[in-house]
Amino acid sequence: MIRPITIILALILTFGGALSQPRVTGSDANQRREKLRTILQIQDLRSGRNALLRQYLYDRDTVVRLRATLAYGSLQDTTAIPDLLNNLVNAPTAVQKAAAFAIGQTAASLGQKSLEELEHDLLWVRLDRTAARARLIEELGKFGTEKGLTDLVLRLGTGRVRERAPILMSIARFAIRKVRTTEATRLALESLLDPATATWNAAYA
C-alpha cells in the first residue's frame, strides 16, 4: 500500500514552483524543517481536523503553506474547503494550484446542496480570480454535477483555444464518472475535428 507520505512527496514534485523561493537559513530553516515534519506526521496519521495543520495553510513560509495545502488533498477533509478556497485566490501561484488540486480531491464528499453551491462559486466567481485557472477547470471534472458540466461548457466552450485542453480533460473526467451532456459531447467531437484543437485531450474526452 502506498503511504500518504509517499503521495505527498510525489505531489510536491508536481507543484514545486514554490520551492524556487529564496533558501532560508538559521532559525528560519529550523522552523521550516519542524513544520514540514509535523505536516507529514499529521498526514500519515490521517488527522485532518488538526488546528495546527489548518494554521499552516496561512503560514508566511510559502513552502510550508504549499505542503499543508497538498496535505489536505490527501486527507480530504471537507471542513477545510473554506480555507482551500482562500488559498485558491489569496496565495502564491504554486499554492493556488495546490489548492485547486486539494479541492478536486475533497469536494466529492460534500452533500448535494453544498456541492452545487461550491461548483457555482468556482465557475462563476473564483475562476476569474485564480492563477490556477487551467488546473481548476480540470479538477471540476472530478466532482462536478451535470449542472456544473453544463455551466462549464456554456461559460468556456466557445472561449480561448488555449483553454480547450483543460476543458476537454475536465469533460473526460466528468464522463468517467458517468456525468455527460449532449453539449459536452458535441464540444469534444468538434474539438477532435478542428485542426487547432485536435489533440489527445479531444480524443480522450
Side-chain angles (χ1 to χ4, degrees):
M1 182 178 68
I2 300 176
R3 291 169 62 82
I5 286 179
T6 304
I7 295 171
I8 197 171
L9 289 174
L11 291 172
I12 287 166
L13 295 177
T14 302
F15 299 96
L19 301 182
S20 62
Q21 74 170 25
R23 183 181 298 274
V24 295
T25 58
S27 62
D28 286 342
N30 291 333
Q31 287 180 18
R32 174 188 286 180
R33 193 177 303 110
E34 286 304 312
K35 289 176 180 179
L36 296 181
R37 183 181 294 113
T38 299
I39 290 169
L40 289 173
Q41 289 173 343
I42 292 170
Q43 186 184 11
D44 203 36
L45 293 171
R46 311 298 297 171
S47 304
R49 300 191 180 188
N50 185 290
L52 190 55
L53 183 59
R54 194 71 59 91
Q55 177 182 322
Y56 288 161
L57 289 173
Y58 299 89
D59 200 88
R60 64 183 178 83
D61 185 335
T62 301
V63 173
V64 172
R65 198 170 179 184
L66 171 70
R67 296 200 191 178
T69 302
L70 288 174
Y72 275 107
S74 173
L75 294 169
Q76 300 176 10
D77 175 13
T78 57
T79 67
I81 286 181
D83 301 288
L84 295 174
L85 288 172
N86 174 77
N87 277 1
L88 183 65
V89 295
N90 297 313
T93 298
V95 178
Q96 292 189 34
K97 291 179 180 179
F101 165 79
I103 291 169
Q105 293 294 102
T106 305
S109 299
L110 291 170
Q112 186 68 18
K113 185 174 185 299
S114 296
L115 187 59
E116 291 173 354
E117 291 174 350
L118 174 64
E119 66 182 4
H120 183 274
D121 177 54
L122 292 173
L123 267 169
W124 297 101
V125 180
R126 297 182 193 269
L127 188 61
D128 289 331
R129 296 169 53 197
T130 181
R133 184 179 173 96
R135 168 68 61 173
L136 181 58
I137 291 169
E138 289 188 25
E139 294 296 329
L140 283 163
K142 292 182 180 178
F143 62 85
T145 66
E146 184 175 322
K147 176 67 164 57
L149 178 56
T150 298
D151 285 352
L152 177 69
V153 175
L154 174 66
R155 173 142 197 242
L156 303 174
T158 59
R160 313 169 218 179
V161 172
R162 69 175 180 270
E163 286 191 342
R164 193 60 60 86
I167 293 168
L168 292 170
M169 182 58 70
S170 187
I171 289 173
R173 286 176 167 171
F174 273 103
I176 289 171
R177 297 170 37 243
K178 304 189 186 306
V179 179
R180 305 180 180 93
T181 67
T182 301
E183 294 78 12
T185 302
R186 183 182 301 117
L187 177 62
L189 291 174
E190 289 174 352
S191 298
L192 189 59
L193 297 173
D194 184 348
T197 57
T199 64
W200 71 269
N201 303 83
Y204 184 51

